[in-house]
Amino acid sequence: TSNRLRHVESMAIFPSGAGKIPALNAVILGEALASEEDDLVFPSDEFSQQALVPSPQKYLEIYKRSVEDPAGFWSDIASEFYWKKKWGDKVYDDNFDVRKGAIKIEWFKGGITNICYNCLDRNVEAGLGDKVAMYWEGNELNVDGKLTYSELLQKVCQLANYLKDIGVKKGDAVIVYLPMLMELPMTMLACARIGAVHSVVFAGFSAESLAQRIVDCKPKVVITCNAVNRGSKVIYLKDIVDTALVESAKNGVSVDVCLTYENKSAMSRENTKWQEGRDIWWQDVVPNYPSTCAVEWVDAEDPLFLLYTSGSTGKPKGVLHTTGGYMVYTATTFKYAFDYKSSDIYWCTADCGWITGHSYVTYGPMLNGASVLVFEGAPNYPDSGRCWDIVDKYKVTIFYTAPTLVRSLMRESEEYVKKYSRKSLRVLGSVGEPINPSAWRWFYNVVGDSRCPISDTWWQTETGGFLITPLPGAWPQKPGSATFPFFGVQPVIVDEKGDEIEGECSGYLCIKGSWPGAFRTLYGDHERYETTYFKPFAGYYFSGDGCSRDKDGYHWLTGRVDDVINVSGHRIGTAEVESALVSHPKCAEAAVVGVEHEVKGQGIYAFVTLVEGEPYSEELRKSLILTVRKQIGAFAAPDKIHWAPGLPKTRSGKIMRRILRKIAARQLDELGDTSTLADPSVVEQLIALGEDS
Ligand code: 6R9
């Protein structure tokens, strides 16, 4: 309790005038917090005292400067990195308002740097050459590896030299379809070193999804491996790539080189299908190249990577990030949100196929010279204690994961956790979807032994790095709240009309003004970038998320408000699933909604209308699901198919998803007004049929 008092008192000493920054007003008043103290979880004195940001005052002081003088704030931080040439007169230049012209975001323009150099060479030169950059834990117990910063630099240089040799140049796209081997971050860094633009495709995506991305960005080379072990399964990645390359060639994009890593523990090269001339074994070429490679110096605004993500239409969006701002932003957010210390062993369970793996497996941590653990396997293999076994084995201090994993482990016996010491842990993290308070408490109490603050980081592929996140030593936490904005970030909550709402409220979450890590465009489609993100609420970046702010100023994310669903932290556009379903010859129409799911957060619930005369059958249900797995990937397979003789539509033909969501959730007394439907009897039919019927 002394600890609790210390915090409440420290908040009370803020001059009330310091709360000019919206959303911070309530928090600075000690009384406001004290009244809800049952919901507050305080960092220990011991933790706060050693923390980079030890108190709310300190946070507020830094935050104030960051929003009052963004140029000064971010250029001070940027100066800690290596720049071949410093940026021009303007630290940043942006237009966030469509009414004033094209949307533009630039940070450190004219500055010349290289993010790979800053991740590796700079750390080696600072004396971290022998420090472990990556620990690698294989799928099977006792299969592991590691690389120091010097070793990683050498391997990155060899690959970079190879890529240059086959003609990959600055600005060229490289598609990477690899599992969580050390070669994945290595490949990203090698591309960055030569100024090539990597586009990592999550290795759970199907051949068709991969082909779609290849056709969109036309890479010089695709980098993959023959197969990978995941849990008790073997996944044959090279076969998927082969199919994708045939498919993309049909669409006019042929790829000359498929560099394939031989992942011996999963599959030997003898068994791998091979296309002479196109396919090259990594191990046959890369090690023969020199282990030093001159850096390609790039402008801060030159592209670093493309990452495809789901939106509310069927076509994935190529989110484009550039170099300088992204570098400064991921490094800084990593450092503060996890209270990073050089002695930390950091483990993020995300795959590099998603943004979390870009910003917080590869770039953010390595820019800080951290030791990063990369895990190839599945968290419940060979049993549900695997994560804690790994934590003990490597003495992991920062463990960053997703609510879906927490919930799935929470269902198993606590013995799987208690069996391991976990005493090395000091900070926990959560990302991907809102973490429900009960999962938060289990994570906090059981995994962290009520000792480790949880950084519930809210952000997106588009934002590059954390926008709303606790700073673990500073804030008392409320289970399930992402708390407060990171430095330089100005979140606002707007109503339907786009007017900012103050105080306790809920609405649409937008951001005012740019931050260095923001995406700069959608590849090849700046218009869609403006339409999707900047037009809904003119003057702001619109996140697509709903959010409420409580009386203490804490932010509570409430999920997507667009047609995107979040399944196990994976973003899936309902339109993508629908278009996969209707490609099935027996499907006439489909409408997909999200429905609450105990482990995955949201499950996929599909209403399907079959072509005239086609009878429902179990076989057909399976075949529809298989179609989605083949077109998108297993993670997008519908959990439920609800046969629908008709779909509820307005007279103008628009599907009323609101009603479908209620039917899926079995909230039949909340259907609302159905009188505007073209045929209200459709609803009765749907209810009568029920799911899977
Ligand atoms: C980083 C990442 C972004 C969407 C985002 C939101 C949800 C992510 C969250 C969260 C509540 C958190 N989301 N983190 N919701 N609390 N801590 O996940 O990127 O795959 O682009 O997804 O995920 O709905 O809009 P991405």
Side-chain angles (χ1 to χ4, degrees):
T1 50
S2 68
N3 178 39
R4 169 169 304 188
L5 281 175
R6 180 178 64 80
H7 273 279
V8 174
E9 276 164 18
S10 67
M11 274 177 239
I13 62 169
F14 282 120
S16 47
K20 292 227 175 60
I21 302 153
L24 286 175
N25 285 333
V27 200
I28 58 168
L29 299 170
E31 315 90 69
L33 275 173
S35 66
E36 260 202 37
E37 64 181 19
D38 287 346
D39 284 325
L40 296 176
V41 178
F42 288 79
S44 67
D45 280 344
E46 200 189 344
F47 189 94
S48 287
Q49 275 154 17
Q50 59 82 59
L52 288 166
V53 183
S55 65
Q57 293 100 306
K58 189 69 193 168
Y59 163 82
L60 196 64
E61 194 186 305
I62 305 175
Y63 182 79
K64 273 193 71 162
R65 174 168 187 234
S66 74
V67 294
E68 285 167 7
D69 174 23
F73 178 81
W74 288 112
S75 62
D76 282 357
I77 294 178
S79 304
E80 291 164 26
F81 294 91
Y82 181 80
W83 298 83
K84 183 88 184 155
K85 178 172 159 258
K86 234 187 132 180
W87 48 93
D89 326 328
K90 280 190 180 160
V91 176
Y92 71 101
D93 191 8
D94 60 13
N95 172 35
F96 250 49
D97 194 336
V98 277
R99 294 163 303 196
K100 294 184 187 151
I103 299 296
K104 172 176 97 169
I105 304 172
E106 287 174 354
W107 282 82
F108 312 112
K109 191 158 169 90
I112 304 294
T113 189
N114 182 291
I115 197 170
C116 173
Y117 184 90
N118 275 289
C119 285
L120 302 179
D121 310 57
R122 186 178 58 106
N123 285 323
V124 170
E125 277 156 34
L128 297 183
D130 294 331
K131 181 173 176 177
V132 173
M134 262 195 271
Y135 288 102
W136 180 76
E137 171 80 2
N139 184 64
E140 305 302 324
L141 293 167
N142 307 318
V143 177
D144 54 23
K146 64 180 177 207
L147 288 174
T148 63
Y149 270 93
S150 304
E151 289 163 346
L152 178 59
L153 173 58
Q154 288 170 15
K155 289 192 176 274
V156 164
C157 285
Q158 288 181 317
L159 179 59
N161 281 322
Y162 166 75
L163 291 174
K164 278 209 303 208
D165 200 25
I166 61 166
V168 179
K169 292 193 190 61
K170 182 179 164 191
D172 289 343
V174 173
I175 285 256
V176 185
Y177 189 72
L178 280 170
M180 288 298 275
L181 301 172
M182 288 197 276
E183 282 68 22
L184 177 45
M186 197 183 288
T187 301
M188 296 162 76
L189 290 161
C191 291
R193 190 168 194 89
I194 61 171
V197 181
H198 58 72
S199 183
V200 183
V201 178
F202 172 57
F205 273 109
S206 66
E208 289 184 38
S209 292
L210 177 59
Q212 193 177 26
R213 287 153 177 77
I214 292 171
V215 170
D216 196 64
C217 75
K218 305 174 185 60
K220 276 254 165 76
V221 47
V222 172
I223 303 183
T224 188
C225 74
N226 50 352
V228 65
N229 295 307
R230 194 163 160 83
S232 48
K233 291 190 217 132
V234 184
I235 302 161
Y236 298 97
L237 297 182
K238 174 70 164 53
D239 288 349
I240 298 171
V241 173
D242 286 348
T243 311
L245 289 175
V246 171
E247 188 63 30
S248 53
K250 277 193 218 150
N251 287 287
V253 177
S254 50
V255 175
D256 298 337
V257 182
C258 177
L259 183 68
T260 309
Y261 185 81
E262 182 187 10
N263 193 14
K264 288 200 184 92
S265 63
M267 187 188 204
S268 72
R269 63 168 73 187
E270 290 69 36
N271 294 327
T272 308
K273 278 193 224 109
W274 208 245
Q275 184 170 318
E276 281 309 329
R278 182 195 70 187
D279 300 345
I280 309 279
W281 287 111
W282 173 309
Q283 283 93 332
D284 287 355
V285 290
V286 176
N288 305 333
Y289 282 82
S291 57
T292 58
C293 170
V295 163
E296 178 81 38
W297 298 106
V298 301
D299 190 280
E301 283 302 336
D302 280 335
L304 174 62
F305 67 85
L306 258 181
L307 183 59
Y308 289 88
T309 188
S310 294
S312 45
T313 72
K315 190 174 178 265
K317 303 182 279 198
V319 168
L320 184 100
H321 282 282
T322 57
T323 305
Y326 178 84
M327 170 171 88
V328 171
Y329 199 71
T330 52
T332 312
T333 46
F334 172 80
K335 175 172 156 185
Y336 286 100
F338 296 128
D339 189 46
Y340 173 70
K341 303 286 169 354
S342 59
S343 53
D344 278 317
I345 307 288
Y346 168 79
W347 180 20
C348 166
T349 63
D351 191 289
C352 286
W354 307 107
I355 189 67
T356 306
H358 283 63
S359 302
Y360 302 107
V361 172
T362 306
Y363 293 114
M366 292 198 185
L367 287 163
N368 282 280
S371 295
V372 181
L373 177 77
V374 172
F375 175 43
E376 176 188 42
N380 51 6
Y381 177 83
D383 66 37
S384 302
R386 184 67 187 274
C387 289
W388 324 122
D389 181 39
I390 296 174
V391 165
D392 282 0
K393 175 172 171 185
Y394 295 94
K395 306 270 179 299
V396 170
T397 59
I398 306 173
F399 177 69
Y400 184 35
T401 192
T404 183
L405 180 71
V406 174
R407 286 191 301 262
S408 78
L409 297 178
M410 197 174 134
R411 300 168 99 196
E412 309 294 330
S413 158
E414 269 183 24
E415 285 313 301
Y416 284 118
V417 190
K418 295 274 150 78
K419 215 173 120 187
Y420 300 96
S421 129
R422 293 159 285 109
K423 69 173 194 294
S424 55
L425 289 174
R426 56 180 212 95
V427 178
L428 302 174
S430 173
V431 61
E433 58 174 310
I435 180 163
N436 46 307
S438 65
W440 195 101
R441 286 181 203 281
W442 186 85
F443 198 24
Y444 184 79
N445 293 325
V446 180
V447 174
D449 285 326
S450 312
R451 184 187 67 239
C452 312
I454 299 178
S455 285
D456 174 6
T457 60
W458 175 79
W459 61 298
Q460 310 176 294
T461 305
E462 293 87 342
T463 71
F466 309 149
L467 292 193
I468 301 183
T469 177
L471 300 184
W475 293 110
Q477 300 193 304
K478 297 191 183 188
S481 165
T483 75
F484 296 100
F486 191 72
F487 305 137
V489 176
Q490 302 180 66
V492 295
I493 297 178
V494 303
D495 61 16
E496 299 277 344
K497 297 193 298 284
D499 292 328
E500 276 183 43
I501 31 187
E502 304 279 325
E504 214 180 326
C505 63
S506 61
Y508 302 100
L509 181 60
C510 291
I511 311 290
K512 188 155 70 174
S514 77
W515 62 98
F519 66 142
R520 306 306 200 236
T521 192
L522 292 179
Y523 181 67
D525 203 348
H526 200 69
E527 200 182 318
R528 187 177 180 195
Y529 173 74
E530 296 182 337
T531 311
T532 312
Y533 302 101
F534 296 93
K535 282 195 182 149
F537 301 106
Y540 305 107
Y541 163 76
F542 173 45
S543 66
D545 278 5
C547 180
S548 60
R549 196 193 295 124
D550 69 17
K551 64 181 176 18
D552 301 327
Y554 283 68
H555 292 82
W556 299 80
L557 277 302
T558 52
R560 303 288 306 192
V561 294
D562 52 8
D563 291 325
V564 171
I565 46 188
N566 191 323
V567 181
S568 300
H570 299 157
R571 258 167 83 166
I572 299 168
T574 51
E576 285 171 70
V577 182
E578 287 162 5
S579 90
L581 287 168
V582 297
S583 75
H584 190 288
K586 294 185 175 165
C587 175
E589 202 171 17
V592 167
V593 296
V595 64
E596 207 174 297
H597 187 286
E598 205 189 328
V599 172
K600 301 193 218 171
Q602 281 189 301
I604 302 182
Y605 195 113
F607 292 86
V608 173
T609 307
L610 297 178
V611 294
E612 201 60 43
E614 193 61 50
Y616 312 133
S617 71
E618 177 56 19
E619 200 188 325
L620 186 50
R621 194 181 71 85
K622 285 195 181 132
S623 135
L624 284 162
I625 291 174
L626 190 68
T627 304
V628 180
R629 295 174 71 103
K630 274 177 72 180
Q631 281 194 25
I632 307 175
F635 63 92
D639 297 277
K640 286 274 184 327
I641 302 272
H642 188 134
W643 303 121
L647 292 169
K649 289 184 189 162
T650 59
R651 288 191 191 92
S652 60
K654 207 169 163 353
I655 296 172
M656 298 263 279
R657 283 165 202 281
R658 174 177 61 78
I659 293 173
L660 293 177
R661 278 189 210 108
K662 295 293 176 193
I663 296 176
R666 297 263 135 219
Q667 292 164 340
L668 302 178
D669 48 347
E670 295 172 27
L671 292 176
D673 184 11
T674 55
S675 63
T676 55
L677 290 176
D679 176 8
S681 73
V682 164
V683 175
E684 298 307 318
Q685 284 179 5
L686 281 179
I687 293 171
L689 271 169
E691 64 204 37
D692 286 330
S693 47

